[in-house]
Amino acid sequence: MLSKPGMWQTSSQPSPQVPNLDTAARDGEVPMTASSDEKFGTFNISKRHFLGGLAGAAATSVLPVWRRAEAATMYDIIVIGAGTAGMPTAIFAAERGAKVLVIDKAPITGGTLDRSTGQIAGSGTVFQKAKGIVDSADAHYADNMRINNGTADPVLTRMFVDHAGDTINWLAANGYTVRDGHPVLGGGHEDFTTPRYQWGMEGGKTIYKVMEPLFTAAVKKGNVTLALSTGAVDLIQDGKGAVVGVTCEDDAGRKQDFMGRNVVITAGGCGANPRMFQDLHGTALTTQIAYPYNVGQSILLGLSAGGYVRGGDLYNPLFGTVLADDNFPSEQASGFMSNPERRPPWEIYVNSHGERFMREDDPSVDRREHALARQPGMRMWVVFDQEMLSKAPTSFMPRWKKEKFMDAFGSHPMFAKADSLHALGVKAGVDPQGLAASVASFNAAIASGTTDPKGRAHRPVPLAKGPFYAVRMTGWTVITFAGLAVDGTLRVIRSDGSPIPNLFAAGEAIGGGATSGNAYTNGAMVTPALTFGRLLGQKMLKWKA
Ligand SMILES: Cc1cc2nc3c(=O)[nH]c(=O)nc-3n(C[C@H](O)[C@H](O)[C@H](O)COP(=O)(O)OP(=O)(O)OC[C@H]3O[C@@H](n4cnc5c(N)ncnc54)[C@H](O)[C@@H]3O)c2cc1C
């Protein structure tokens, strides 16, 4: 699957504006002057390699740098990425008295919380208690594993649900508030059986606004050193493979080694690196919504130290969206109302063969998503006729005004209109014969009052009177499913299961599949990112000066 060595570097990496290695130097670090990078492995990863013992003594070009960096500062913990998982790691480690360095490639903290919906889930929360909801970590675990078809990592899921409630209560104790009526059973994904799902008025930003003052206080206190616009480009390992530091680079290309007793990779997934995303998931990144700095450096760093990647096979698309064009990653033109409880479908859905591939009013969003995942190119067409268009009380694209929607049939590449079904198929790129056969069997079942071939219940009118219309939808995602394999204490592991000493990972760096499985399990990304960060800082990381 990792078939394109050297092709993961993105040419569209954002260029942070605020270089600060000067600041780091003022804070006691010595900017690195010598460079001894070497190409490493099949992925063209630049790796600084430190040799131990006598062999190391011969490596004169690197030793002076090592000594100067080590002499300057030895951090207890280096956190790579000041986002959803990295911020709580630093906050809690600093509370325990650790000397923490946090670096982030972006000029600001917070990472994906700037765009995440921030929906989180946990049991035993103050929000549940306020509503008299009885819940347990066991029930949360059972719900999660049901929703993700038993595909999430059971050990990591257990750890996440056991501590999720405390994470939410910690946020609440620091001012986090949720929307009226929350916690709820669900919201866009498969429902829980107990209301334990909530989010703030500003989604992920609500969470950030709670953590930011705590983080800033730790920086002001001096426990946390923050280096923004500073990206980790390499891990430093000793002769036994233990991680002992991080090589960083600012946007002016200046490098600096930072030495630490623990290194935590919380630099997100690869959702802003289409090539890496495709290599790891075997499917195109159809839209790019991820935080632009998350170009997969987490994965490269972990691989370079001996770790391995898992979870790409768990990829599952969100149900279709209208893309602006076929130049992946494409812009999203509009969403698509496919929830039959909110809008029972009048239209039929077909794939490129013209075949209906699912029951359009299937109440399970997970089944709808997996059905789409199996279609060629993750494409589907919503097909309807004039009567459906005129009589359906609401459109399946409710965010577009009717005029805009109708205009699109003359101008938008995803929209097609024709007088006959055959012509519609040709225009839309759907096999016309397959389409005709699907429509015929759909109509025949309605006419004869027999069961729909796909088991659909809501079918108010047949699809019979032209003009005919088709709108193409494509599967998409907002998360990286693949990530670094870790053990039950979040240590990055090699393929033989052995941990890489001193190296930890959390957040999307460990892959969404680890905690969300092959589904969009409610809150199973943000909550474990926060929770694992908290647990790392609070107790998992160990150090001795
Ligand atoms: C639109 C959207 C909606 C979502 N909604 C939900 C939801 O409702 N519920 C849910 O559970 N999940 C949701 N998710 C997923 C969830 O938000 C993310 O999985 C989670 O926030 C990722 O946290 P993280 O700490 O791994 O990454 P981030 O929060 O992105 O932090 C990573 C940080 O690392 C930095 N970084 C990157 N590379 C480097 C480097 N080389 N060196 C130093 N720093 C680096 C980045 O700048 C960034 O600040 C959503 C995602 C998106 C995009």
Side-chain angles (χ1 to χ4, degrees), residues 270 277 361 381 545:
C270 66
F277 188 94
D361 59 357
W381 283 257

Side-chain angles (χ1 to χ4, degrees), residues 49-362:
H49 184 63
F50 282 88
L51 303 172
L54 286 175
T60 48
S61 65
V62 295
L63 277 172
V65 178
W66 165 283
R67 283 180 182 147
R68 283 187 298 170
E70 192 174 33
T73 306
M74 171 59 81
Y75 291 98
D76 297 319
I77 298 160
I78 300 177
V79 180
I80 304 172
T84 318
M87 289 182 82
T89 306
I91 291 167
F92 280 94
E95 253 179 36
R96 277 169 70 205
K99 187 168 180 53
V100 185
L101 171 69
V102 180
I103 59 166
D104 200 294
K105 199 161 66 164
I108 51 172
T109 57
T112 303
L113 289 175
D114 74 343
R115 66 203 58 210
S116 175
T117 320
Q119 297 170 310
I120 53 178
S123 64
T125 65
V126 290
F127 302 115
Q128 284 186 321
K129 281 186 189 130
K131 285 184 78 183
I133 297 163
V134 178
D135 196 9
S136 68
D138 285 349
H140 189 183
Y141 181 87
D143 258 352
N144 273 22
M145 294 311 252
R146 169 184 57 81
I147 291 170
N148 64 46
N149 313 295
T151 54
D153 183 306
V155 174
L156 295 174
T157 301
R158 190 74 244 182
M159 178 162 69
F160 139 49
V161 300
D162 281 349
H163 299 277
D166 285 347
T167 300
I168 294 171
N169 288 339
W170 165 66
L171 290 174
N174 287 286
Y176 177 69
T177 54
V178 298
R179 291 178 177 232
D180 284 348
H182 285 207
V184 290
L185 289 171
H189 308 299
E190 212 70 30
D191 276 359
F192 285 136
T193 51
T194 303
R196 67 172 73 88
Y197 196 34
Q198 54 262 294
W199 53 100
M201 286 306 289
E202 294 181 85
K205 289 195 189 88
T206 308
I207 297 172
Y208 177 69
K209 285 180 177 174
V210 171
M211 290 203 293
E212 196 279 332
L214 303 173
F215 184 82
T216 301
V219 173
K220 282 201 179 129
K221 231 174 139 187
N223 304 59
V224 173
T225 301
L226 174 64
L228 292 173
S229 300
T230 302
V233 293
D234 219 341
L235 295 177
I236 304 167
Q237 287 173 275
D238 69 12
K240 292 182 180 154
V243 173
V244 293
V246 180
T247 300
C248 300
E249 189 176 60
D250 71 4
D251 53 328
R254 290 173 300 179
K255 285 189 177 172
Q256 166 75 52
D257 288 348
F258 294 102
M259 311 312 290
R261 298 183 173 91
N262 296 278
V263 173
V264 185
I265 302 176
T266 51
C270 66
N273 185 337
R275 175 58 66 92
M276 188 194 283
F277 188 94
Q278 170 135 15
D279 283 349
L280 292 178
H281 299 87
T283 192
L285 184 69
T286 55
T287 53
Q288 189 171 317
I289 293 162
Y291 195 59
Y293 293 87
N294 294 353
V295 294
Q297 195 65 23
S298 290
I299 289 169
L300 293 180
L301 291 170
L303 286 173
S304 78
Y308 75 101
V309 174
R310 64 182 175 188
D313 55 325
L314 296 174
Y315 173 85
N316 186 43
L318 287 158
F319 205 64
T321 191
V322 186
L323 296 179
D325 54 43
D326 280 324
N327 299 318
F328 298 154
S330 166
E331 297 293 315
Q332 265 186 306
S334 173
F336 163 38
M337 170 56 72
S338 61
N339 180 343
E341 279 158 30
R342 291 174 64 193
R343 179 190 178 275
W346 287 54
E347 308 78 13
I348 64 166
Y349 305 160
V350 299
N351 62 18
S352 56
H353 304 304
E355 298 159 349
R356 286 177 69 209
F357 58 91
M358 60 174 282
R359 173 188 160 192
E360 289 84 354
D361 59 357
D362 190 327

Side-chain angles (χ1 to χ4, degrees), residues 494-507:
R494 306 181 182 95
S495 54
D496 64 4
S498 63
I500 299 164
N502 313 335
L503 186 63
F504 298 79

